[in-house]
Amino acid sequence: MQIKSLVVALAATVSFSAWAQAPIVIKFSHVVATDTPKGQAAERFKELAEKATKGRVKVEVYPNSQLYKDKEELEALQLGAVQMLAPSLAKFGPLGVKEFEAFDLPYIFPTKAALYSVTEGPIGKSLLQKLEPKGITGLAYWDNGFKVMSANKQLRVPADFRGQKLRIQSSKVLDAQMRALGANPQVLAFSEVYQALQTGVVDGTENPPSNMFTQKMHEVQKHVTLSNHGYLGYAVIVNKKFWDGLPADIRTSLTTAMRDATTFEKAIAQRDNDMALEAIKKTGKTAIYTPTAAEQAEWRKMLLPVHKQMESRIGAELIGAINKTAAAAK
């Protein structure tokens, strides 16, 4: 009887020891390809996090909507089905944090320096804090650069957009932007865009070149306009309950790993977009057009009123603060 009790106790000790040593798993889900700036940065974070914690943390990265599509991933994070995401900033509007839609405003960031003065300063920090009541902790901003327009007809001036069905993310600002150009905005999940373009469900879309190339959208789009009319960025977020429940030393190591992954991500974002644009050109399937100064002025004239239109939704004070901060950083 004593031997049986000893065996049971020993088995329980071994089981508890194995459990205690099991790594903490972080499921990191995102919707783009691995070879995009975000995809590469997610892999870099995995590498840095596992090394910094000496294997006490295991990061499982799921790219290309393998686990969840655009509309599903935030709910999955809040429920704890995944621990980490890097959604585009537009995703927080439908969640109820409308202030993030300021990042969608056309021409609000004239340069990357202006952008970083906002994301890395008090404004960026205060916006991430607004996610806390939603059960979300914001860790960093990741960059994917300025967007180009694509379609199967050339989009040189606003009149060219009339009647075109253009895919957008779910964002009131992007909806207003497309309507200001005379287009018909169509909300679609990112994973559905290629097929929608291929079958003519939509005529075109907007994206940084790296997203366009890695999703092969250029294969079903005859024209790209280097409009740089808007910005696409991400926030790396984590389930707040999970994050707060981590051992302090683990959380510190992961914070450092995220800081270093963010530095890496910002360094490669512009490079990858430049390379993607060059690769699109080389295929010969898509004509690349750069608007003239006069055409750019016409775009701005049509799109800048969207700022005023969105003041009641986003907040006039926030829009003003971003414009002031961005202007000072030029």
Side-chain angles (χ1 to χ4, degrees):
M1 194 69 179
Q2 286 181 333
I3 294 175
K4 184 178 180 181
S5 298
L6 182 61
V7 169
V8 170
L10 184 61
T13 301
V14 171
S15 176
F16 176 78
S17 177
W19 173 83
Q21 293 176 15
I24 298 166
V25 175
I26 296 177
K27 291 184 179 179
F28 189 161
S29 173
H30 64 82
V31 302
V32 299
T34 301
D35 51 352
T36 58
K38 176 163 67 173
Q40 293 175 72
E43 296 296 334
R44 177 61 66 96
F45 172 72
K46 168 184 170 66
E47 176 190 332
L48 293 170
E50 292 178 352
K51 183 178 180 181
T53 60
K54 296 180 172 60
R56 291 169 63 194
V57 169
K58 180 183 179 184
V59 180
E60 298 176 353
V61 181
Y62 298 91
N64 263 330
S65 306
Q66 286 179 4
L67 290 184
Y68 301 101
K69 294 182 180 180
D70 286 336
K71 296 177 182 178
E72 306 164 344
E73 61 176 10
L74 279 171
E75 184 180 3
L77 181 90
Q78 289 174 304
L79 292 172
V82 293
Q83 289 71 47
M84 189 172 286
L85 304 173
S88 60
L89 299 169
K91 299 295 189 302
F92 300 122
L95 191 66
V97 191
K98 299 171 184 176
E99 293 89 342
F100 276 93
E101 289 185 353
F103 288 97
D104 291 336
L105 288 168
Y107 298 114
I108 195 162
F109 301 112
T111 63
K112 283 289 182 73
L115 165 71
Y116 294 152
S117 71
V118 173
T119 56
E120 296 175 5
I123 295 174
K125 188 174 182 179
S126 67
L127 286 174
L128 290 180
Q129 288 172 345
K130 291 181 182 293
L131 298 173
E132 299 275 335
K134 305 293 182 182
I136 296 169
T137 296
L139 300 180
Y141 289 95
W142 283 0
D143 181 23
N144 199 8
F146 296 108
K147 295 181 285 188
V148 300
M149 289 283 193
S150 71
N152 283 321
K153 63 173 285 189
Q154 197 173 64
L155 303 173
R156 297 178 60 165
V157 293
D160 295 331
F161 284 83
R162 197 168 295 125
Q164 290 285 293
K165 295 175 292 183
L166 295 184
R167 180 266 174 178
I168 59 167
Q169 300 185 72
S170 181
S171 164
K172 296 296 183 184
V173 175
L174 297 179
D175 183 278
Q177 167 195 279
M178 292 304 187
R179 293 185 189 280
L181 291 169
N184 298 322
Q186 309 287 316
V187 176
L188 284 174
F190 186 70
S191 58
E192 298 168 6
V193 178
Y194 177 88
Q195 186 175 11
L197 292 170
Q198 185 182 43
T199 57
V201 171
V202 294
D203 300 309
T205 187
E206 57 170 13
N207 257 305
S210 63
N211 276 4
M212 186 177 185
F213 181 70
T214 55
Q215 295 294 322
K216 300 183 179 180
M217 295 178 196
H218 63 288
E219 294 182 355
V220 288
Q221 295 280 265
K222 294 178 182 176
H223 294 276
V224 164
T225 302
L226 303 183
S227 49
N228 295 326
H229 62 281
Y231 171 71
L232 179 64
Y234 313 107
V236 187
I237 57 176
V238 66
N239 177 285
K240 186 178 187 302
K241 184 177 179 182
F242 168 80
W243 185 254
D244 291 346
L246 291 172
D249 64 323
I250 291 286
R251 200 162 52 241
T252 298
S253 295
L254 293 178
T255 299
T256 300
M258 181 56 66
R259 182 198 66 204
D260 293 345
T262 299
T263 299
F264 166 79
E265 198 278 340
K266 288 178 177 176
I268 67 170
Q270 190 59 53
R271 180 204 70 186
D272 281 17
N273 277 308
D274 292 343
M275 289 170 59
L277 191 60
E278 192 59 35
I280 290 171
K281 286 179 183 178
K282 285 182 179 178
T283 66
K285 295 181 178 181
T286 309
I288 311 291
Y289 181 72
T290 302
T292 65
E295 288 166 348
Q296 288 174 342
E298 198 171 339
W299 282 56
R300 295 177 71 86
K301 182 181 177 182
M302 296 296 288
L303 289 175
L304 285 176
V306 173
H307 290 220
K308 188 71 177 176
Q309 188 181 341
M310 289 291 124
E311 282 183 353
S312 60
R313 179 176 177 83
I314 298 170
E317 188 176 338
L318 174 60
I319 294 173
I322 290 175
N323 279 324
K324 184 178 179 180
T325 303
K330 283 184 184 179

